[in-house]
Structure formats: structure tokens, C-alpha cells
Amino acid sequence: MTNVLLEEVLIGAIANNLDGLRHVAVGAASPIPGAAALLARSRSNGTMRVSVLGSEDNNFFTDGGKEIFDVAGQGRMDAFFLSGAQIDGKANVNLVAVGDYAQPKARFPGSFGSGYLYFVVPRVILFRLEHTPRTLVEEVDFISAPGFSDDNVYRPGGPYKLITDRCLFDVDKERRCFRLESVHPGHTVEEIHIQTGFKFDLPDGEVPVTPVPDAASLATIRGEVAKEISEIYPAFAARVFGVGKAA
Amino acid sequence: MTNVLLEEVLIGAIANNLDGLRHVAVGAASPIPGAAALLARSRSNGTMRVSVLGSEDNNFFTDGGKEIFDVAGQGRMDAFFLSGAQIDGKANVNLVAVGDYAQPKARFPGSFGSGYLYFVVPRVILFRLEHTPRTLVEEVDFISAPGFSDDNVYRPGGPYKLITDRCLFDVDKERRCFRLESVHPGHTVEEIHIQTGFKFDLPDGEVPVTPVPDAASLATIRGEVAKEISEIYPAFAARVFGVGKAA
Amino acid sequence: MLATQLSVDDLVSCIPDGAKIALPPDYSYCALAAVRALIRRGARDLHIVGVPTFGFQGDMLIGAGCVATVETSAVTLSEHGLAPRFTKAIKEASIKMMDATCPAVHAALQASEKGIPFIPLRGLVGSDILANRSDWKVGNNPFAESDDPIVYLPALRPDVALIHAPLADKFGNVWIGVRRELMLMAHASAETYVTAEKIVDYNLMGDLKTKAGTIPGLYVSAIAEAENGAWPLGIPDGYGADHPHLAKYAADARSDQGFQRYMEQFVFGSAAQAAE
Amino acid sequence: MLATQLSVDDLVSCIPDGAKIALPPDYSYCALAAVRALIRRGARDLHIVGVPTFGFQGDMLIGAGCVATVETSAVTLSEHGLAPRFTKAIKEASIKMMDATCPAVHAALQASEKGIPFIPLRGLVGSDILANRSDWKVGNNPFAESDDPIVYLPALRPDVALIHAPLADKFGNVWIGVRRELMLMAHASAETYVTAEKIVDYNLMGDLKTKAGTIPGLYVSAIAEAENGAWPLGIPDGYGADHPHLAKYAADARSDQGFQRYMEQFVFGSAAQAAE
């Protein structure tokens, strides 16, 4: 991995799943997905839009808080990112509570738009930087949004990938489970098995290593993406890229 | 009637049915209802709003064409005016066609908002300046909006009065018909019977004459109302009040 | 992202025959230059939707034989009276008519805007509007304790919204101020084509004051500059309607010959085209 | 028509105990001076609705014992972490929680805005959000050819919308620019109470540019001038949030004693009141 940072690997791996899309939306407080979207936009030759939800800046909406959800409902949003306090092997996402819902052990902010966006956005990329049996569980305690739905349920959207600090999973919509796609440089398949609370499929043959961004992409990440992301996430940009906020 | 004009009688009679309301809306191309609303507003001590539909000016809405209907649906509009190519004895209103709907003898612009507003605005005042058997008919050829509804139909609104160039009718919601309330100065009950295509009830005792506006109201009509209405309906104001548009 | 900028003629060439086109009423921002170009290109079988009514532009399209279906709450030339070509087509039953009521058009567009398959609306029960709309249904309010019939309107998703605006920018952002039914049309339609008095180089979204009345470029498929593009209608806070011309149209269009003469003179004539 | 102008304390005295109050998220225009006044007047049993989420203001109200029910898609202090008083109340089950998802809050408010009894929404089927909302129903899409379950949301009509704005006028018109969820809240609620940085004598509806981002006075029950009224939150295009103060709150509010100390110092203290 020499001098390529984990963050840069993640940014590159996510961006590879966004190329060719017209509109990618990113939630607030998501610097790595945000940087990945900006990288993909930079490679799109001016054909991709990126919008940031739940932020007063960096959005091009003019019809109030509802508009971004209306945009998604109309099919005008191609990709979005979801995280979860828990994510389980059926791609269910929990943003609400651990333990009994009525009197929980832990309570998180809430489901935000997940209960809707997960159904209508074609490529929902699950993103969780803590890859442990505590977060990637066999069964979530509360389903903010289910990973899969019965055939009679309107569902143009759903999970597309799951990316963590250790690896990248693909989604098998037929078998309704995750399949390990690649392991990030420096990590092992055995470690993934130990650190994952749910069962997952393996690819045929050897499990690939997640590719590091090519030189051109790396230059873009460290150049224009770092600069742009520093306007939204100054602390992140300073820590990862050593970029200061413009005076 | 000495020197009080029919228009002034109508304006006064309508305004008497608006006093105490908070929000009166008037359709476009409705100078007499518009003037009546302005008179009522002038008498309201600053508690009544008047808005004009379908006009680019004279409205205080900022959420597009839908807002006025949303306002009505929420119960924030107390009175509105409807006319009709035909109005029948059950207060049904026809703004669409005479003859067969599929290939009519006469076609009018269409129902506009009547199919909705008649249901949700508590005081809908029907207004028709041509009082003949051709317009006030036994049964309309097309129901843009029905006068009455079955008990299970959500209907906070409906017909409140019918005013014509000859008389004023009250509405009997129980018996679902009109009752003659008063005859305008210079007209007779016999004439009303001849010129009305539907059956209607009579009040107990003598039929009153529609009162002419009192001196204060007449002064307001000819003064501030004439001036304000001339900004919306200059031709009407010039003809009736001899008021010119401000240079 | 830069907008696709076209000439008015190229803009309307993007609108296919048979398209369902949403049009605003005469008192809003109407793209008359584009409508004339649409007639010149010989558009056919259009389904025109008045949001919630239309006037002059729709009457011209009907008279020119471009229209198969009319869906609207009213057709009117306002102070210039009934729309003559519409009236004739209805009497001859040469177009399919879908009568509506204003809030139903808005609500059905809002359903499309939200990506919901239908929206309920009060009113209409017992009307002949409803009786003649086989595409609408009456259901029950599921939250009522007893029988409570309510109309269910399917989402209305036009193929095209065709509008004019006082101002657009090179990013395809379009300022429409308080005329937010134009924003609703753009949100609800698959494609939005816009003519604008002026296309500026700065970003209309850059100032919160103008941003508040701006349709984002996200919804706008292509724009064309068309100075005086609403003529003979006016635009709010811009130029007034050309009432003598509208009166002339209303008179001419009463007869087939008069309408043809008007078309020759103001739509097809080389002088007319040069003036666009 | 002139608006009713009150002091902030008199404004919140119009909000009765038990009221269902719609509140915007921290990044919008929040009426913090009014929220502090509401706590001072000892409001009880409030049902607070996040549109679609809330943060600092709601956490304070919960901590101060003003709240019986929370209806929202999330509660967050954003970069300052979890909302401590909310978290404690949930763990102790001392408030009734109604979890939602953002578009459901918006859609249910739109139903109220339109005067329709319910609105359908995609998504949610199979979630525990839905499973725990006995006030929502699953119906069928009446326009589908086969089975097509869809959630029916009842109209959400708050008793009160409580918002702050950069500018209002003496007629009660309130400029909110692109923050149109505040306009939706005002349309959907029975009463709207507004604090504004400044109340001007001219008419905000007089210029189409400002009119496009203005809530008409029709919806506004009363207004109060409150300079810096969003503090310690900021207002877009105005002043920034006071992040050191927010961080202090987030730290203080982790303990009962810390929260009480914060309340004494910044809500009840005579210095605090004098500063409003």
C-alpha cells in the first residue's frame, strides 16, 4: 500500500461504483463518500451532478426539505450512501436502537431518510468504517430499512455494495446476501470472517485485493477533490490531506 | 331606486353576506363580487382579507397555482363566488357544455376550480347577471359541481345564496332548493316566476325588496371601492362609477 | 454542469409527435415563440395539459391540427372571449376532451413530483367531471371511521413541460419567481424545455434571493434564448400582453379562413419567422 | 392587514400545554429565543415534531420536562454528537417516541397543507418504523393491476409551527428564502408563530424577488422581533452557529446536574433573560 492511505483506497473503490451515473447524492457528515462522489464527478466530463443532503450549502434545491426525496422518488437520483449502527447479513440497516426498542440499551439519532431512499435509489452503497461483529451483525435489533423486499413491493432501489474499513462486499440480489468482492490492502479473508457477525459468500477462486486508485485518480483525489472537500469537511481534509480551509 | 344603480344594489346585497368573514376570494373577471368583497373588507376594521384568483396581481400567494386551492381545502377561505352557463333548482352549476357533452351545442371554457371549491368553501355565493329560463334551468346539462351531496360525502362547503340581476335567493339545505329572499327594486315576484326555469320556495308573507346600500356604504362604494376596483377592472369602473384608471 | 443551449427551432425538435405537453395559462410565462416553432415543424397528435388551464397557445395548436387530446380545467382567451379553435374542435368532436378541475391538475402533478402513484382529492364526487374521467377512481378514506368516499387521482406525468421565463443562466437554472406552478410542471414532467428572455453567464443559484424563485438546472433538458418569447402574451413584471393583437387573433380564428390567414401571417410567413 | 406583534414572551404564551409543535432542524431557521421563553413559561406535555428532524432546541425542551411526545426522523446535535437529554428520556421511556423517515414527515405535512386526509408514500414496507407506527396504514395502490402495497400516511396537522426568520414585515409576511420546509410547516399548521431578526415597515410582497421566498401573512398568527433569535444556532446567510457554546451544551447536558446548571445560566438566569 506504500503511501496510499486507507481513505484514498475507499474513495477510489467507491468512485469506481459511481462512474457513468447522472446524479449522486451524499448525506451530511459523510466525507469519504462525498470525496468519492467528487472524484467520480471529476472523471465524468461534466455529466454527473453531486448533491449533499442535510446541509444548508452544497445543494441545488429550491423547494424545501422535501425536494431531495421527491427527486429520489421520481428516479432522478442514481446513487446514495447509507450507514447504520448495525447492518446485518440480509442488508437490513438499523439507525435507531440497540436492544428493546421501547427501552433500548443504546439509542441513535434515528432513521433519517433511510426508510424511503433505500427503496427508491437504484445504487445504495452501504458504508461503515467500523467493521466488527458489533456492527456487522447476524440480525439487526431494529429495521430502519430492509435490505430486500417481497416481489410485490415497489422497489426500484436497494443495496448495491457494502464497503468497510476492511473490505468491499458485493450484493447478491437473488440469494439475498453479501458476497466478499475484495479485501483492502493489508487485510485478510480470515480477519474478515472473524470480524463479521453475519455469514457471507465468497467469490470463485482467490479473493482479490481492493485496487488502489491509479495515478491519475490519486492526483485528482489529492488535488481538486481534497480542495473541494475541505470546504465541506475542513477537519477531515486537514487530517487526511493536510489541506487547510481557505482563509 | 332613485339614483342607486343595480350594480350598487348587488354590491351592497353581496357585501351583507360577507361581513364578519376572515378571507373572501373572488374569481377573475368578477367585478361586482370583487367590489362587494372590497366593501365588506372596508367595513371589517382590518380583519378581512380579499384575494383575486387567476390574476397575476392582487393576490398574496407565493406557492404557485395550487396554493389558493390548498388554502380552501384547509378551511382558510370563508367565501367564494361561482357563476354558471346554467344553474339549476338543485344548485347544480354547469360551466362546461349545453347539449350532449360528447358533441355539444355550446361549449364554455370549463369548470375551473368549481368542482372542488363548491365542496370546501362554506359560503359559495352563486352569481349570474342573466336571469332567464335559459340560464336558471330545471336541470343542468352537465354538472361541473353539484349543489348538494349525500350525507356520507365530505362537504363543509356549498351554496349560500344565489344573486341575479332580478333577485336574491336563499338556500334551503334541508329541502335542497332555493327560496326567494328578496326582489331587487323595480322587479316583481311574478317576473321572477316567469324568468326562472326551476321551482323555488317563497318566504312567509310578503317578499321583501332587496335593500339599497345605506348612505355610508354607498359613499364607500363610490369612493374607495370604485377607486380600488378600477385598478383591476378599469372598464367596469369607468362604466359604472365614471372612475378613470390612474394615469 | 452547463445546460444544453439550442435555437428555438432545435428546442422544439426535441418534442416528439404524440407527446403529452404541460402548458401554463396565459397570465403565467407562456413560450409562444416555441409554440409557433412547434406548429411550423408540423407537430401531430399532441396531448396538451393546461396547468390548470390554457388559452391562446393551446387554441393555436388545436387550430393548426397539432393536437389529439386536451386535458384541462378550462380553455379561455380571458377578456378576448371563448377560444374559437378549441370550441370548434369540441363541437366537431375532432379532439378527445378530458375536463378537469384546477386543484385536480395541480394535485395529480404533485403526485408525479413526489413519485407516488396517486393522490386523493376532496370534491368532485357527484360531478360530471368525475363521471367522464374513467382514469380517475373513487375510493374510501382509509382513516375514516365510516364510509367516506374520496377521489383518487393517478399521478400526471407529462412527457414535456414547455415554458418561458424572464431569466435563465448557462447552467440551465431558470428564474420563475412566484410562478411556482412552472416549477411544479418541471418537477413533474420527464423533460422540461425552456425559452428565456435572456440567458446570463452568472449563477442564479448564487444569491439566496433569486435562488428562492429558481427552477434548478437538474430538471431542465434544454434552453433557448427567445427575447420577447411570450409575445403576444406578456410576462409578469416584464412586458404587457399585446391586446390589439390578441383581439385580432380572437376575431380571425372564428373562421377557418381567418385562422389560416393568421397562421400564414404570424407563424409560417417568412416575415414571421425572421421576427422570431 | 397588520400583523399581531408581540414580545417573545407573549408570543410563546399563545402556545398552550399539550400543543403539537412543528420544529425545523438546526441547519434551518430555529426560534431558540422563543424556545427558551417556552421553557421559562413552564410549558408541559408538548408533542414536538421534527421537520423532518430536530436538534438542540428539542433536546432542551425534553430536558426541561416540557415534552410528552416526540415525532421525528432523527434527533441530532450534528457534529456535537447525540442529543443527551433525548437519549436519556428514550432510555428511561419517559417520553412517547414516534420514529419516522424524513419524506414521510414532509408528505404528511403536505397532506395537511392540501386539506386531504392522507397521502400515500413509497418505501417503509417491511421496516420497523412502519411496524411501530400504529397511526399509519398499509393499503393497496388502486391503480395497480396486481397487488401493490403502499403506505398511507394520515395528514399531519401541527397545532403550532414555531420558526425564526431573518426578516418579517409589519403585515406578518415572513421571508424564508429557499427554506421552504418552513413554508410547508406554516401552511400545514393551525397557527404559526414567528420570531424574526428584524420586522420592517415595507411590504416583502412588493418585490417579486423577495415575494418568491416569503410566507404570506395569511398563515402567520403573530410575530415577535428577536435579534440574534436563533442563537446559539446560526441562520443561513446571516450569522454562524456558536459552536463553542453548542459544544458546551452537548457536554453539560450529559448529566442532570450539568443540564440544570446550563438552564440556570442560559435560560432562567436573570442575565440570560436580560440578554433576550
Side-chain angles (χ1 to χ4, degrees), chain D residues 67-220:
Chain D
V67 176
T69 303
V70 168
E71 180 175 358
T72 189
S73 304
V75 183
T76 171
L77 303 186
S78 300
E79 62 202 89
H80 303 291
L82 295 175
R85 294 291 100 189
F86 164 73
T87 308
K88 176 171 192 278
I90 288 288
K91 287 186 176 180
E92 294 177 351
S94 63
I95 51 173
K96 181 184 172 195
M97 183 65 203
M98 300 169 74
D99 268 290
T101 188
C102 301
V105 177
H106 294 301
L109 287 172
Q110 284 187 276
S112 172
E113 175 182 60
K114 295 199 79 60
I116 54 180
F118 72 98
I119 192 164
L121 190 73
R122 289 301 190 185
L124 283 168
V125 176
S127 73
D128 285 330
I129 304 171
L130 177 63
N132 285 282
R133 288 296 298 256
S134 58
D135 53 331
W136 295 354
K137 288 178 192 285
V138 178
N140 200 61
N141 168 13
F143 294 94
E145 285 169 21
S146 57
D147 183 38
D148 180 10
I150 186 165
V151 174
Y152 287 15
L153 306 167
L156 171 54
R157 183 164 176 80
D159 300 309
V160 171
L162 179 61
I163 63 178
H164 185 66
L167 207 58
D169 69 24
K170 63 178 176 181
F171 306 106
N173 302 309
V174 175
W175 192 81
I176 47 84
V178 295
R179 297 250 61 107
R180 291 186 80 90
E181 62 277 8
L182 301 182
M183 190 177 291
L184 173 58
M185 285 163 60
H187 289 175
S189 302
E191 312 284 341
T192 295
Y193 297 107
V194 180
T195 60
E197 292 291 316
K198 198 172 159 58
I199 297 173
V200 297
D201 266 345
Y202 61 87
N203 188 344
L204 289 170
M205 307 283 261
D207 177 319
L208 277 188
K209 279 224 176 85
T210 46
K211 187 178 179 184
T214 294
I215 303 173
L218 168 67
Y219 302 96
V220 177

Side-chain angles (χ1 to χ4, degrees), chain D residues 35-47:
Chain D
V35 164
R36 286 188 292 271
L38 201 53
I39 293 172
R40 280 198 298 276
R41 91 144 185 74
R44 283 295 173 273
D45 294 329
L46 301 178
H47 175 146

Side-chain angles (χ1 to χ4, degrees), chain C residues 175-190:
Chain C
W175 192 81
I176 47 84
V178 294
R179 299 251 58 109
R180 291 186 79 90
E181 62 276 8
L182 302 182
M183 190 177 290
L184 173 58
M185 286 164 58
H187 289 174
S189 301

Side-chain angles (χ1 to χ4, degrees), chain C residues 9 26 36 47 104 110 138 150 165 208 214:
Chain C
D9 282 317
D26 285 351
R36 286 187 291 270
H47 175 146
Q110 283 186 278
V138 178
I150 186 166
L208 277 189
T214 294

Side-chain angles (χ1 to χ4, degrees), chain B residues 197-215:
Chain B
F198 56 73
K199 292 209 176 66
F200 55 87
D201 285 356
L202 290 173
D204 296 334
E206 190 124 340
V207 178
V209 174
T210 309
V212 302
D214 60 29

Side-chain angles (χ1 to χ4, degrees), chain C:
Chain C
M1 193 185 300
L2 291 179
T4 304
Q5 280 196 45
L6 303 172
S7 70
V8 173
D9 282 317
D10 287 344
L11 188 85
V12 302
S13 75
C14 302
I15 303 176
D17 287 353
K20 187 183 288 191
I21 308 187
L23 299 172
D26 285 351
Y27 55 77
S28 189
Y29 292 128
C30 294
L32 267 291
V35 164
R36 286 187 291 270
L38 202 53
I39 293 172
R40 279 200 297 277
R41 92 143 186 73
R44 285 292 173 275
D45 294 328
L46 300 178
H47 175 146
I48 57 176
V49 180
V51 183
T53 68
F54 65 77
F56 186 69
Q57 57 183 333
D59 199 59
M60 277 176 58
L61 286 167
I62 293 167
C66 306
V67 177
T69 302
V70 168
E71 181 174 359
T72 189
S73 304
V75 183
T76 171
L77 303 186
S78 299
E79 62 200 271
H80 303 291
L82 295 174
R85 294 290 99 189
F86 164 73
T87 308
K88 177 171 189 280
I90 288 288
K91 286 187 176 180
E92 292 176 352
S94 62
I95 51 174
K96 182 184 171 195
M97 183 66 204
M98 300 169 75
D99 269 289
T101 187
C102 302
V105 177
H106 294 301
L109 288 172
Q110 283 186 278
S112 172
E113 175 181 60
K114 293 198 81 61
I116 54 178
F118 73 97
I119 192 165
L121 189 73
R122 290 300 190 185
L124 283 167
V125 177
S127 73
D128 285 331
I129 303 172
L130 177 63
N132 286 281
R133 288 296 297 257
S134 58
D135 54 332
W136 295 352
K137 289 179 193 285
V138 178
N140 200 61
N141 168 12
F143 294 94
E145 286 169 21
S146 57
D147 183 38
D148 180 10
I150 186 166
V151 173
Y152 287 15
L153 305 167
L156 172 54
R157 183 164 175 79
D159 300 308
V160 171
L162 179 61
I163 62 177
H164 184 66
L167 207 59
D169 68 25
K170 65 179 176 181
F171 306 105
N173 302 310
V174 175
W175 192 81
I176 47 84
V178 294
R179 299 251 58 109
R180 291 186 79 90
E181 62 276 8
L182 302 182
M183 190 177 290
L184 173 58
M185 286 164 58
H187 289 174
S189 301
E191 312 283 344
T192 295
Y193 297 106
V194 179
T195 60
E197 292 291 315
K198 197 171 161 58
I199 297 172
V200 298
D201 266 344
Y202 61 88
N203 188 343
L204 290 170
M205 308 282 263
D207 177 318
L208 277 189
K209 280 227 176 83
T210 47
K211 187 178 179 185
T214 294
I215 303 172
L218 167 67
Y219 303 96
V220 177
S221 307
I223 56 176
E225 197 166 70
E227 202 185 332
N228 222 24
W231 178 87
L233 297 173
I235 61 172
D237 246 23
Y239 45 88
D242 181 350
H243 283 293
H245 185 94
L246 293 176
K248 175 185 163 51
Y249 173 83
D252 282 1
R254 287 171 161 260
S255 72
D256 293 352
Q257 302 88 326
F259 179 75
Q260 285 314 325
R261 200 169 56 232
Y262 179 92
M263 286 285 113
E264 285 305 326
Q265 195 174 353
F266 295 104
V267 177
F268 290 103
S270 55
Q273 288 181 63
E276 296 287 6

